[in-house]
mmCIF file of all heavy atoms in Angstrom:
data_model
loop_
_atom_site.group_PDB
_atom_site.id
_atom_site.type_symbol
_atom_site.label_atom_id
_atom_site.label_comp_id
_atom_site.label_asym_id
_atom_site.label_seq_id
_atom_site.Cartn_x
_atom_site.Cartn_y
_atom_site.Cartn_z
ATOM 1 N N GLY G 54 140.792 131.014 52.233
ATOM 2 C CA GLY G 54 142.051 130.515 51.796
ATOM 3 C C GLY G 54 143.095 131.637 51.535
ATOM 4 O O GLY G 54 144.209 131.472 51.762
ATOM 5 N N THR G 55 142.572 132.771 50.863
ATOM 6 C CA THR G 55 143.559 133.806 50.466
ATOM 7 C C THR G 55 143.949 134.694 51.683
ATOM 8 O O THR G 55 145.194 134.954 51.757
ATOM 9 C CB THR G 55 142.878 134.708 49.395
ATOM 10 O OG1 THR G 55 141.603 135.347 49.965
ATOM 11 C CG2 THR G 55 142.712 133.995 48.113
ATOM 12 N N HIS G 56 143.030 134.992 52.598
ATOM 13 C CA HIS G 56 143.288 136.040 53.616
ATOM 14 C C HIS G 56 143.238 135.406 55.007
ATOM 15 O O HIS G 56 143.504 136.091 55.997
ATOM 16 C CB HIS G 56 142.369 137.236 53.473
ATOM 17 C CG HIS G 56 142.631 138.013 52.293
ATOM 18 N ND1 HIS G 56 142.071 137.738 50.983
ATOM 19 C CD2 HIS G 56 143.452 139.142 52.044
ATOM 20 C CE1 HIS G 56 142.519 138.661 50.226
ATOM 21 N NE2 HIS G 56 143.343 139.463 50.656
ATOM 22 N N GLY G 57 142.786 134.121 55.177
ATOM 23 C CA GLY G 57 142.681 133.514 56.394
ATOM 24 C C GLY G 57 141.533 134.134 57.275
ATOM 25 O O GLY G 57 141.663 133.961 58.497
ATOM 26 N N THR G 58 140.531 134.610 56.666
ATOM 27 C CA THR G 58 139.438 135.148 57.455
ATOM 28 C C THR G 58 138.108 135.218 56.578
ATOM 29 O O THR G 58 138.255 134.964 55.361
ATOM 30 C CB THR G 58 139.685 136.709 57.919
ATOM 31 O OG1 THR G 58 138.662 137.087 58.699
ATOM 32 C CG2 THR G 58 139.785 137.513 56.621
ATOM 33 N N ILE G 59 137.085 135.268 57.235
ATOM 34 C CA ILE G 59 135.701 135.475 56.572
ATOM 35 C C ILE G 59 135.482 136.984 56.548
ATOM 36 O O ILE G 59 135.427 137.603 57.555
ATOM 37 C CB ILE G 59 134.629 134.738 57.282
ATOM 38 C CG1 ILE G 59 134.833 133.217 57.344
ATOM 39 C CG2 ILE G 59 133.268 135.049 56.603
ATOM 40 C CD1 ILE G 59 133.780 132.412 58.115
ATOM 41 N N PHE G 60 135.262 137.403 55.303
ATOM 42 C CA PHE G 60 135.267 138.890 55.109
ATOM 43 C C PHE G 60 134.028 139.472 55.891
ATOM 44 O O PHE G 60 133.009 138.859 55.967
ATOM 45 C CB PHE G 60 135.181 139.239 53.679
ATOM 46 C CG PHE G 60 136.431 138.935 52.904
ATOM 47 C CD1 PHE G 60 136.430 138.304 51.675
ATOM 48 C CD2 PHE G 60 137.716 139.269 53.481
ATOM 49 C CE1 PHE G 60 137.579 137.916 51.092
ATOM 50 C CE2 PHE G 60 138.833 138.962 52.812
ATOM 51 C CZ PHE G 60 138.837 138.343 51.559
ATOM 52 N N TYR G 61 134.049 140.784 56.323
ATOM 53 C CA TYR G 61 133.140 141.443 57.125
ATOM 54 C C TYR G 61 131.775 141.355 56.390
ATOM 55 O O TYR G 61 130.637 141.261 57.078
ATOM 56 C CB TYR G 61 133.526 142.852 57.351
ATOM 57 C CG TYR G 61 133.258 143.764 56.229
ATOM 58 C CD1 TYR G 61 132.162 144.505 55.964
ATOM 59 C CD2 TYR G 61 134.388 143.912 55.291
ATOM 60 C CE1 TYR G 61 132.013 145.271 54.889
ATOM 61 C CE2 TYR G 61 134.241 144.782 54.198
ATOM 62 C CZ TYR G 61 133.047 145.349 53.895
ATOM 63 O OH TYR G 61 132.946 146.238 52.950
ATOM 64 N N TYR G 62 131.640 141.534 55.102
ATOM 65 C CA TYR G 62 130.364 141.588 54.498
ATOM 66 C C TYR G 62 129.692 140.160 54.552
ATOM 67 O O TYR G 62 128.355 140.076 54.549
ATOM 68 C CB TYR G 62 130.390 141.994 53.044
ATOM 69 C CG TYR G 62 131.484 141.267 52.095
ATOM 70 C CD1 TYR G 62 131.054 140.050 51.482
ATOM 71 C CD2 TYR G 62 132.693 141.799 51.881
ATOM 72 C CE1 TYR G 62 131.986 139.409 50.635
ATOM 73 C CE2 TYR G 62 133.588 140.993 51.218
ATOM 74 C CZ TYR G 62 133.199 139.895 50.494
ATOM 75 O OH TYR G 62 134.056 139.182 49.607
ATOM 76 N N ARG G 63 130.472 139.078 54.646
ATOM 77 C CA ARG G 63 129.702 137.768 54.897
ATOM 78 C C ARG G 63 129.300 137.763 56.275
ATOM 79 O O ARG G 63 128.200 137.028 56.511
ATOM 80 C CB ARG G 63 130.786 136.707 54.637
ATOM 81 C CG ARG G 63 131.199 136.415 53.187
ATOM 82 C CD ARG G 63 130.007 136.222 52.353
ATOM 83 N NE ARG G 63 130.327 136.006 50.886
ATOM 84 C CZ ARG G 63 129.439 136.077 50.006
ATOM 85 N NH1 ARG G 63 128.204 136.256 50.269
ATOM 86 N NH2 ARG G 63 129.738 135.894 48.725
ATOM 87 N N ARG G 64 129.910 138.291 57.277
ATOM 88 C CA ARG G 64 129.461 138.304 58.618
ATOM 89 C C ARG G 64 128.132 139.195 58.690
ATOM 90 O O ARG G 64 127.266 138.916 59.514
ATOM 91 C CB ARG G 64 130.525 138.771 59.554
ATOM 92 C CG ARG G 64 131.754 137.809 59.697
ATOM 93 C CD ARG G 64 132.554 138.209 60.864
ATOM 94 N NE ARG G 64 133.050 139.600 60.882
ATOM 95 C CZ ARG G 64 134.318 139.793 60.305
ATOM 96 N NH1 ARG G 64 135.030 138.908 59.739
ATOM 97 N NH2 ARG G 64 134.755 141.111 60.314
ATOM 98 N N HIS G 65 128.196 140.231 57.965
ATOM 99 C CA HIS G 65 127.002 141.079 57.931
ATOM 100 C C HIS G 65 125.778 140.383 57.318
ATOM 101 O O HIS G 65 124.616 140.671 57.616
ATOM 102 C CB HIS G 65 127.318 142.434 57.130
ATOM 103 C CG HIS G 65 128.157 143.331 57.985
ATOM 104 N ND1 HIS G 65 128.542 144.648 57.414
ATOM 105 C CD2 HIS G 65 128.651 143.230 59.116
ATOM 106 C CE1 HIS G 65 129.248 145.223 58.372
ATOM 107 N NE2 HIS G 65 129.425 144.439 59.354
ATOM 108 N N GLU G 66 126.037 139.484 56.387
ATOM 109 C CA GLU G 66 124.914 138.749 55.811
ATOM 110 C C GLU G 66 124.214 137.823 56.846
ATOM 111 O O GLU G 66 123.050 137.731 56.778
ATOM 112 C CB GLU G 66 125.451 137.819 54.662
ATOM 113 C CG GLU G 66 125.852 138.439 53.415
ATOM 114 C CD GLU G 66 126.473 137.525 52.353
ATOM 115 O OE1 GLU G 66 126.672 136.318 52.728
ATOM 116 O OE2 GLU G 66 126.770 138.001 51.275
ATOM 117 N N LEU G 67 124.937 137.412 57.886
ATOM 118 C CA LEU G 67 124.350 136.679 58.862
ATOM 119 C C LEU G 67 123.430 137.604 59.699
ATOM 120 O O LEU G 67 122.215 137.205 59.976
ATOM 121 C CB LEU G 67 125.467 136.204 59.876
ATOM 122 C CG LEU G 67 124.890 135.444 61.208
ATOM 123 C CD1 LEU G 67 124.092 134.198 60.754
ATOM 124 C CD2 LEU G 67 126.147 135.094 62.051
ATOM 125 N N PHE G 68 123.794 138.891 59.918
ATOM 126 C CA PHE G 68 123.027 139.885 60.574
ATOM 127 C C PHE G 68 121.710 140.134 59.699
ATOM 128 O O PHE G 68 120.651 140.126 60.242
ATOM 129 C CB PHE G 68 123.777 141.094 60.775
ATOM 130 C CG PHE G 68 122.998 142.284 61.124
ATOM 131 C CD1 PHE G 68 122.403 142.541 62.392
ATOM 132 C CD2 PHE G 68 122.540 143.231 60.089
ATOM 133 C CE1 PHE G 68 121.513 143.604 62.735
ATOM 134 C CE2 PHE G 68 121.759 144.330 60.455
ATOM 135 C CZ PHE G 68 121.291 144.543 61.735
#
Side-chain angles (χ1 to χ4, degrees):
T55 56
H56 293 82
T58 186
I59 297 176
F60 295 133
Y61 74 90
Y62 54 84
R63 290 301 180 196
R64 295 195 298 271
H65 286 180
E66 286 177 357
L67 176 63
F68 165 78

